[in-house]
Amino acid sequence: MTTPTTPMPYDRSLTHEIAARVLAAAVAEAGRNGWPMSIAIVDTAADLVAFARMDDAQTGSIDAAHAKARTAALYKRPSKVFEDAVTAGGQGLRLLGMPNLCPVEGGWPIVRDGRVLGAIGVSGMRADQDTVVANAGLAAL
Amino acid sequence: MTTPTTPMPYDRSLTHEIAARVLAAAVAEAGRNGWPMSIAIVDTAADLVAFARMDDAQTGSIDAAHAKARTAALYKRPSKVFEDAVTAGGQGLRLLGMPNLCPVEGGWPIVRDGRVLGAIGVSGMRADQDTVVANAGLAAL
Amino acid sequence: MTTPTTPMPYDRSLTHEIAARVLAAAVAEAGRNGWPMSIAIVDTAADLVAFARMDDAQTGSIDAAHAKARTAALYKRPSKVFEDAVTAGGQGLRLLGMPNLCPVEGGWPIVRDGRVLGAIGVSGMRADQDTVVANAGLAAL
Amino acid sequence: MTTPTTPMPYDRSLTHEIAARVLAAAVAEAGRNGWPMSIAIVDTAADLVAFARMDDAQTGSIDAAHAKARTAALYKRPSKVFEDAVTAGGQGLRLLGMPNLCPVEGGWPIVRDGRVLGAIGVSGMRADQDTVVANAGLAAL
């Protein structure tokens, strides 16, 4: 697992207002595309601040969205970093044995002024579509 | 534990739109009162559909709100029914050993046309205040 | 469960320096009394910041100390408040069914300027002795 | 998984004094390098004896440090041995299915006179940096 030489610090001021705004933007983007998804917003401890499951989202997406958000918040990195490492095989496979780490694209830190406030996790469609929705949420930050 | 002789059937049509509307009304009521709370909306399987944690809500309210909603959805009754039974003592104490049952006021079924669609759970203040907020949410149904 | 009408806000600035200082003072007090204990310091999410188990502390004290600290941090109150409610019986018994709530004396919020930074939990001796040690820790704040 | 033909015996005399000394040396080394880390010291049952989380350590490091220490204590080997086996692929991949085994560098047995007293686990930076800090702790033994 590659850790930045200067890890970003945390900022523990993720408000409900911010979380609700990011969530609404993500839900709107998913709706525009007709993608049924679950979307989780968590703080720096990976505790839930806001959550929405859209109609007909696969039930597994509930925990998957939370797991991706947890990963990004707890390790201060997009979950895709871990997906890529696992995909590369070899040493990267060790990540499958790390606690609280879901190595699947769709979890992204919520960053402001170089500090991690928490994370968004999206699940329900293809991983790149999950990321489109997460980015739409982050753009509302 | 009092079970209705004719238990209400489930209706699995709790949409994200309904859940978001109930949640928004509950959050607004809590905000008006200056009460920091967590509010969870779940379906008939007690799986999360919508969730919000307000600023400075005690961290314990996250799981507590979900636990109260779970209780109301899984057992088709307000969680206060179980609180009253535990309070009465004697046979009611057995409820403390029931799975997925939180015997604390604040979880209420979401009912439409005599059918249970899911539940709302509220935590963060006194139990009667939790109920005020839950009722404000249900009134938006 | 009685919640203060104006719940204390959280302050998420519990540093390692503070936690280590509180822990050292508590360990010193326990040592002076010859009491083998476990002592946990947690943040507002109940995640561990510092921990010490003294020689011959009963093994159960590890999780018990953490559970008491978790209770005080997540519910912003001394765990003794919940112990007293359970002891009174009746409605208080419902607390035995609350998630993440250990209703046993020994968990105390770490409060500064009217804000909850986290909590200390102590286990290993009689509850009142646990509190003596917790208070010694808090006095070093 | 390579198992020594003559596995080291356990020695259950890891005192709080030793654990605190090892922990302090590790924290000092991490501090000198400006590395925000979590550091866990466990006994032969992988139960926590001492723990510290430094400011801005990624939240995931709490459980990761414990998991690495647990691995080293429960299996009497550095967790890197398992990382190397997983990296080699083939039969080594089976380790991902072992209970209580985190195959990631950073967990090291605390050994004295050929006996395992417990383990130290470090998490928060690159794996080789985690090891630098663990070694600084062990040097204080």
Side-chain angles (χ1 to χ4, degrees):
Chain A
M1 173 168 45
T2 306
T3 304
T5 47
T6 310
M8 279 187 287
Y10 281 127
D11 176 337
R12 294 188 173 77
S13 65
L14 177 63
T15 60
H16 171 249
E17 191 276 324
I18 293 175
R21 185 150 37 92
V22 169
L23 179 65
V27 168
E29 177 69 19
R32 268 191 296 277
N33 290 284
W35 295 337
M37 287 170 153
S38 288
I39 302 165
I41 314 286
V42 302
D43 63 18
T44 59
D47 285 327
L48 216 53
V49 182
F51 175 86
R53 172 163 47 120
M54 300 167 69
D55 299 346
D56 270 321
Q58 54 198 22
T59 317
S61 67
I62 304 169
D63 284 351
H66 198 168
K68 292 175 180 183
R70 180 182 297 114
T71 301
L74 295 190
Y75 292 102
K76 299 179 175 177
R77 266 160 286 185
S79 58
K80 189 176 191 313
V81 170
F82 300 119
E83 177 178 315
D84 291 345
V86 168
T87 300
Q91 196 185 37
L93 297 175
R94 64 183 174 168
L95 294 172
L96 295 170
M98 279 284 281
N100 303 314
L101 191 157
C102 173
V104 180
E105 182 177 353
W108 297 85
I110 299 176
V111 179
R112 194 177 55 185
D113 300 333
R115 292 172 171 269
V116 177
L117 272 67
I120 181 172
V122 179
S123 177
M125 296 292 293
R126 285 203 324 266
D128 60 308
Q129 294 169 323
D130 293 345
T131 285
V132 166
V133 166
N135 284 343
L138 294 174
L141 185 61
Chain B
M1 169 170 50
T2 306
T3 305
T5 46
T6 311
M8 282 186 288
Y10 280 128
D11 177 335
R12 293 189 172 77
S13 65
L14 177 62
T15 60
H16 171 250
E17 191 277 323
I18 294 174
R21 184 149 39 90
V22 169
L23 179 65
V27 168
E29 177 69 20
R32 266 191 297 278
N33 289 286
W35 295 337
M37 287 170 154
S38 288
I39 303 166
I41 314 286
V42 302
D43 64 17
T44 57
D47 287 325
L48 217 52
V49 182
F51 175 86
R53 171 162 48 121
M54 299 168 68
D55 299 346
D56 268 319
Q58 54 196 20
T59 318
S61 67
I62 303 170
D63 284 352
H66 197 167
K68 292 175 180 184
R70 180 183 298 116
T71 302
L74 295 188
Y75 295 103
K76 298 180 175 175
R77 264 159 290 184
S79 58
K80 187 177 193 311
V81 170
F82 301 118
E83 176 177 316
D84 291 345
V86 168
T87 301
Q91 196 185 36
L93 297 177
R94 64 184 171 161
L95 295 173
L96 294 170
M98 278 286 280
N100 303 312
L101 190 158
C102 174
V104 180
E105 182 177 353
W108 297 85
I110 299 176
V111 179
R112 193 176 56 184
D113 301 332
R115 291 169 174 271
V116 177
L117 274 65
I120 181 173
V122 180
S123 177
M125 294 294 292
R126 285 202 325 265
D128 60 308
Q129 294 169 322
D130 293 344
T131 283
V132 166
V133 167
N135 284 341
L138 293 174
L141 185 62
Chain C
M1 172 170 43
T2 306
T3 306
T5 47
T6 310
M8 277 187 290
Y10 281 127
D11 177 337
R12 294 186 172 78
S13 64
L14 177 62
T15 60
H16 172 250
E17 190 276 324
I18 293 175
R21 184 149 40 91
V22 169
L23 179 64
V27 168
E29 177 70 20
R32 267 190 296 277
N33 290 286
W35 296 337
M37 287 171 153
S38 289
I39 302 166
I41 315 285
V42 302
D43 63 20
T44 60
D47 286 326
L48 216 54
V49 181
F51 175 86
R53 171 162 49 117
M54 298 167 69
D55 299 346
D56 269 321
Q58 55 197 23
T59 316
S61 67
I62 303 170
D63 284 351
H66 197 168
K68 292 175 179 183
R70 180 182 297 116
T71 301
L74 295 191
Y75 294 102
K76 298 178 174 177
R77 268 160 284 187
S79 57
K80 187 175 192 314
V81 170
F82 300 120
E83 176 177 317
D84 291 345
V86 168
T87 301
Q91 196 186 36
L93 297 175
R94 65 182 174 167
L95 295 172
L96 296 171
M98 279 286 279
N100 302 315
L101 191 159
C102 173
V104 179
E105 182 176 353
W108 298 85
I110 299 176
V111 179
R112 192 178 56 184
D113 300 332
R115 293 172 171 268
V116 177
L117 274 66
I120 181 173
V122 179
S123 177
M125 295 294 291
R126 285 201 327 263
D128 61 306
Q129 293 169 323
D130 293 344
T131 284
V132 166
V133 167
N135 284 342
L138 294 173
L141 184 59
Chain D
M1 170 169 50
T2 306
T3 306
T5 45
T6 311
M8 281 185 289
Y10 280 128
D11 177 335
R12 294 191 172 74
S13 64
L14 177 62
T15 60
H16 171 250
E17 190 276 323
I18 293 175
R21 185 150 37 91
V22 169
L23 179 65
V27 167
E29 176 68 19
R32 267 191 297 276
N33 289 286
W35 295 338
M37 287 170 153
S38 289
I39 302 165
I41 314 287
V42 302
D43 63 17
T44 58
D47 287 326
L48 217 53
V49 182
F51 175 86
R53 171 163 48 121
M54 299 167 69
D55 299 345
D56 268 318
Q58 54 195 21
T59 318
S61 67
I62 304 170
D63 284 352
H66 198 167
K68 291 174 180 183
R70 180 183 297 117
T71 301
L74 295 188
Y75 295 102
K76 299 179 174 174
R77 264 160 288 185
S79 57
K80 188 176 191 313
V81 170
F82 300 118
E83 177 178 315
D84 291 345
V86 168
T87 300
Q91 195 183 37
L93 298 177
R94 66 184 170 162
L95 294 173
L96 294 170
M98 279 286 280
N100 302 314
L101 189 157
C102 174
V104 180
E105 181 177 353
W108 297 86
I110 299 175
V111 179
R112 195 177 53 186
D113 301 333
R115 292 170 172 268
V116 177
L117 273 65
I120 181 173
V122 180
S123 176
M125 294 295 290
R126 284 203 325 266
D128 61 308
Q129 294 169 322
D130 294 343
T131 284
V132 166
V133 167
N135 284 342
L138 294 174
L141 185 59

